Amino acid sequence: MAEMVQMFVSSVLDALFGNLTESAIQEMKSIWGVGVEEEVEKLERKVKLIQGVIEDADEKQFHSKAVGSWLRELKNIAYDSNDILDDVALEAQSSKRQKVGVVRYFSSIFQYERNIAREIREISGRLDVIVKEGHDLHLEIRRDGGRGSQIEQERRETSSFVDESDVIGRQVDKDKIIQLLVSDDDDKLYSVISIVGMGGVGKTTLAQFVYNDHRVKTHFGLRVWACVSDDFNVLRITNALVESASGSKCDLSYLDAAQHHLEEKLNGQKFLFVLDDVWGENQIHTHWDTLRAPFGVGAKGSKIIITTRDERVARMLGAIPSHHLKVLPDADCWELFTRRAFAGGISNAFPELEEIGRQIVKKCKGLPLAVKTLGGILSYKRTVSEWERILTSEIWKDDDNKILPALRLSYCHLPANQKHCFAYCAKFPKDHRFQKDVLVRQWMATGFIQTRGSTVLEDIGGEIFDDLLLKSFFQCIHQGVFLGTSIYMMHDLMHDLAESVSGDECCRMEDGMPRSIPEMARHLSWTDIKEGSMSLEALSKFKRLRTLRLRAPSSIDNQILNDALMELRCLRVLDLSYSKIDKLPDSIGHLKHLRYLDLSGTKIERLPESVTDLCNLQMLVLESCWNLKGLPKGITNLVNLRHIVVESIPLPRIGKLTSLQTLPHFKVCEESGCQIGELNNLSNIKGRLHISGLEDVQNIEEAKEANLKDKEYLNELRLQWPRYGSSQDGRVNDDGVLEGLQPHANLKELNIESYGGVSFPSWMSHLCNLTCITIEDCRNCEHPFPLDCQLPSLCELTLHNCPKLQVLPADLPAVTKLNINGCGELSALPRLPSICDLALISCGVKMLLRLTTPCPISLQRLTIRGCHQLECCLEKVSLQDLTSLQHLQISDCPGLKSLGYGEGGLPTTLKSLRIVGCPNLKSMPTRLENLTSLVELSIATQLPLFSKESALPMTIKDLQIFSCDNLMSLPKAMQSLTSLKNLESCQENDGQDWPKIQHIPYIDCR
């Protein structure tokens, strides 16, 4: 499909002819002479004629192949025009760098294979034909206040995260699924439950709703989620299950190893698997038995939820019963729609729109995805004519069953700049995870984002992304803790829509995809380059490619890659990340249009010098290139470079690249051009900055040359001296250097490592926006905070290996997380009224005095380890008063005598309790059976723990008992602990306790 061509109006052509500034016109005069302005005016008139009818063509194309062909040709003209004008701009830049005159400049142009003047006239002629054909197709100028004349509205605040917790109309479905899950089938190791329904009806949302319910969390010892999609690849799915279970990346290459890992995670556990979005009955028939082979080691009563559109798939997987998810009733759809379309969900403020809205909702046929998406689109429109145009659109009559008409209509009513950006995502595989910043920078590289006043392109692209997120074209699947770390993806139906509207422009070569590349492809993703697939040599034929993403699991021949790049001179984006290449061909320098180059995870040792010829390059990514020795000397020629991501290598004379916005790491060293003053003019640096090698900064004056105080866009700053060795005590300039590195008051996160000074500078008091501070390995530091330091926004404080640290601020009102490790001189804590997570490791505190005034009812996790001088946890307060406490761990505290005032027991909110290595503890909390939320218990004590008649909470899943010499036998109540999955004990009693514990899946008695 060619809907994306409507972008030609506001994006591509506006960019083309909007870029014909006075300077560009002057450059072109030597081609056309003094009449150049007339030629440009002719082009602009033709463009305006096309702009007038493009909206009409955009809808008529669904029912007219001729209109679709007209739009495709229009799009090709736009791209060709863009390439020509890019060439003119490149030559203009080249002539300025070489300081040659206009005559010599244009004599070099005519050495090109193409004649710029002739091709521009050809473009003009092709536009003449397009205008005539548009007239013959009876395309009309829209004058009804539709998309082309949207009313300017105040832009609402946007967020990068969409809260999907407000699910509407699915409570009954949720309760039915949960009832099936918690009803144990003791005769089965595991059973399969399916959620079956059409695309967009909310199967995944319901599965998430169930998965995160507290009843499910309590019932299952292990919950694992994996997205299957249309590629039922056993190795990939197994790796995904292991990764979800362990929380760490799993990318094993062999199925046997992956399944052994999965067995280890499942052994003895009552598990819940969610296999989301399962398709492909042929693949399932072949591979299901292989996938489920390790599942048998789990505990009886385990469950597997699958979501699928196909009842046959559910039956093949043995899903009994199936839960058929029906469409939402009209009332629920209307509530969902109003939440998206009207501020605050209040529709009666717009009575003229309410009736139209109800009719639109009925056309969505009860599909939540369609309702949410259209609601998001209409939230930007407030005129009756705009809403009526959506209601009466011809698109509702579209007979393409793969794409929901409501979604296609939502796409058609996107602003033009958002259309192209969305369609570009068709180049990604289904279920592809992506980050906002990466995608926005690729949009920039391909020319989809145009300037708007003084607003930087990254911010404009961020607004486009956030709008698409709010309108449900994207989904946030992981909310990152730090800025820019959230992960996003597209729903399958949205991906189908992107594929449809991008037509032949975006092409993917992967398992299960066609083995040919359309001739008109502009954006290609090739992820399965291997023997038997189409040869890389074939790439040379596709000279119009603008994006190339290669993922090669085996080595790529350097000569073949070199020859291919020689021909792909229109490339704007080249992504070779994590491909098995160890050398970048010299032909990379011929890609004059290249804006984005990603070589992350490759084994490249050096970049060719020809990289420095890429004068349009905006983004250079060299993340995890551990073999990289350095960058070419001419890297500072890349004056348009805005983002460079590289680790642990010097960047000589980086200060010349004044357009830089991203510079994660700068290493100071004695090498020429690597002094800290190189940062002086980089005033646009954003996000995070790590400065290492600070031992090579001599004094405060040199440190001030970094000009950190004026870098207002920095959010995170990490300052690092050498971590180990004798250098700290011998350094006398650290105080002055740190004083000179004063950051801007906007800073959010500060990390200082291996600083050798005794105190911190006064500017700490001025950082009122700091939310996170980490101080590590500052072995001489006694007073890290000035006396008047307030830190009103500080939420997280980490102090690690600061043995001389004595005092902290008296009051830290906003701190929710405090981690102190290896601070032996610290004798007291500040007042922490908001504390949620407190960890004290190897510290000198004797009592958590100030913690008790007032009682920190917000505390959820308390960890105390290796605090040899600690005598009492809480003064005048019982642990029972900590009504939010869920996790308590006290270990290796030989001086500890009391857990708290009155020995009144523990809070019933506890989920895990660990008391180990506290030989002087006088008494243990009583009545453990009252801890009705307790899941994990680990005890090592000489005190009487429980008698034969004692009871333990029924919720216990993991029990560890060590060094309990006074424990003669386990209580009888052990045999009633049906949730207990793991028992570890050093108690040996000749088997007399076996009847009490034989039901436990995993037992280790040493």
Side-chain angles (χ1 to χ4, degrees), residues 899 903 913 915 921-926 928 939 941 943-945:
L899 293 181
E903 306 295 350
L913 172 63
I915 302 177
L921 190 62
K922 293 180 179 179
S923 64
M924 287 291 297
T926 57
L928 292 175
I939 296 289
T941 179
L943 298 171
L945 186 58

Side-chain angles (χ1 to χ4, degrees), residues 577-591:
S577 58
Y578 299 97
S579 291
K580 291 192 176 179
I581 59 173
D582 54 18
K583 185 178 180 182
L584 191 63
D586 289 333
S587 59
I588 188 74
H590 292 278
L591 305 180

Side-chain angles (χ1 to χ4, degrees), residues 939 941-942 945-946 960-971 983-994 996-997 1003-1006:
I939 296 289
T941 179
Q942 301 297 323
L945 186 58
F946 33 61
Q960 298 176 325
I961 304 173
F962 301 109
S963 303
C964 300
D965 296 342
N966 292 321
L967 179 64
M968 304 308 296
S969 66
L970 296 172
L983 172 64
E984 296 182 53
S985 174
C986 60
Q987 190 67 32
E988 297 182 8
N989 48 24
D990 300 325
Q992 64 178 356
D993 284 332
W994 177 248
K996 306 173 188 176
I997 62 174
I1003 302 173
D1004 182 7
C1005 293
R1006 299 184 181 90

Side-chain angles (χ1 to χ4, degrees), residues 677-701:
E678 290 292 325
L679 298 174
N680 187 289
N681 294 322
L682 303 183
S683 56
N684 295 315
I685 292 293
K686 297 183 177 181
R688 58 188 174 92
L689 173 62
H690 171 199
I691 306 175
S692 63
L694 287 172
E695 72 279 7
D696 286 324
V697 181
Q698 300 303 312
N699 49 52
I700 184 173
E701 288 77 18

Side-chain angles (χ1 to χ4, degrees), residues 218-236:
T218 302
H219 187 76
F220 294 98
L222 179 68
R223 293 173 305 125
V224 178
W225 184 287
C227 182
V228 177
S229 195
D230 54 354
D231 176 21
F232 200 90
N233 182 297
V234 175
L235 176 59
R236 181 184 65 80

Side-chain angles (χ1 to χ4, degrees), residues 441-442 445 548 565 571-577 581 584 588 591 594-600 604 607-608 611 614 617-623 638 641 643-645:
R441 290 165 190 170
Q442 291 188 11
L548 177 60
L565 295 184
L571 277 183
R572 267 73 171 170
V573 175
L574 178 59
D575 182 355
L576 299 174
S577 58
I581 59 173
L584 191 63
I588 188 74
L591 305 180
L594 196 67
R595 267 84 167 169
Y596 185 104
L597 177 60
D598 190 347
L599 301 169
S600 299
I604 288 175
L607 298 180
V611 164
L614 302 176
L617 196 66
Q618 298 174 347
M619 179 76 183
L620 178 60
V621 190
L622 299 163
E623 195 169 16
L638 305 181
L641 199 62
H643 307 279
I644 181 169
V645 180

Side-chain angles (χ1 to χ4, degrees), residues 779-805:
R779 287 172 285 175
N780 295 325
C781 184
E782 299 175 3
H783 308 286
F785 302 99
L787 293 177
D788 60 343
C789 195
Q790 297 296 318
L791 302 174
S793 302
L794 188 64
C795 297
E796 185 172 338
L797 175 61
T798 299
L799 304 167
H800 180 73
N801 194 20
C802 301
K804 297 182 180 180
L805 179 69

Side-chain angles (χ1 to χ4, degrees), residues 96-304:
K96 291 173 183 176
R97 287 198 309 270
Q98 298 172 18
K99 298 181 179 180
V100 296
V102 173
V103 175
R104 183 176 172 187
Y105 159 50
F106 281 108
S107 68
S108 66
I109 284 185
F110 291 121
Q111 294 175 12
Y112 273 81
E113 187 176 338
R114 296 174 299 172
N115 184 298
I116 296 294
R118 175 178 54 80
E119 295 211 10
I120 291 178
R121 291 190 176 100
E122 284 183 4
I123 292 294
S124 183
R126 290 166 68 186
L127 285 175
D128 286 335
V129 175
I130 281 289
V131 170
K132 181 180 182 303
E133 289 179 348
H135 183 268
D136 294 342
L137 290 169
H138 306 292
L139 298 179
E140 301 173 351
I141 297 176
R142 291 288 180 90
R143 303 184 184 278
D144 55 357
R147 296 192 303 274
S149 58
Q150 292 183 20
I151 299 173
E152 289 293 325
Q153 300 181 35
E154 182 179 352
R155 180 178 178 79
R156 64 181 179 179
E157 290 294 319
T158 63
S159 168
S160 64
F161 182 67
V162 177
D163 184 4
E164 296 290 350
S165 62
D166 56 339
V167 184
I168 296 172
R170 295 303 189 197
Q171 188 62 46
V172 173
D173 296 287
K174 174 186 175 182
D175 290 339
K176 286 181 179 179
I177 296 291
I178 291 176
Q179 183 59 39
L180 293 171
L181 292 177
V182 300
S183 59
D184 285 333
D185 303 318
D186 291 333
D187 57 330
K188 293 183 179 180
L189 281 173
Y190 61 87
S191 53
V192 182
I193 299 167
S194 66
I195 301 174
V196 181
M198 67 183 297
V201 79
K203 301 182 295 297
T204 299
T205 300
L206 176 60
Q208 292 169 334
F209 203 24
V210 168
Y211 186 81
N212 291 297
D213 186 271
H214 69 93
R215 292 168 289 178
V216 173
K217 291 181 178 179
T218 302
H219 187 76
F220 294 98
L222 179 68
R223 293 173 305 125
V224 178
W225 184 287
C227 182
V228 177
S229 195
D230 54 354
D231 176 21
F232 200 90
N233 182 297
V234 175
L235 176 59
R236 181 184 65 80
I237 298 170
T238 304
N239 275 331
L241 292 171
V242 173
E243 188 168 321
S244 178
S246 64
S248 57
K249 185 172 178 59
C250 180
D251 194 16
L252 297 170
S253 302
Y254 296 100
L255 180 61
D256 183 67
Q259 291 193 324
H260 273 95
H261 271 268
L262 185 57
E263 275 192 333
E264 291 174 3
K265 299 297 178 185
L266 300 184
N267 190 22
Q269 295 270 20
K270 181 185 286 187
F271 63 80
L272 169 65
F273 283 176
V274 176
L275 301 179
D276 185 39
D277 196 23
V278 182
W279 320 38
E281 55 181 302
N282 292 333
Q283 292 181 338
I284 292 170
H285 180 76
T286 306
H287 301 306
W288 171 240
D289 287 342
T290 305
L291 176 67
R292 66 176 180 168
F295 297 176
V297 300
K300 289 182 179 180
S302 295
K303 297 290 195 298
I304 300 172

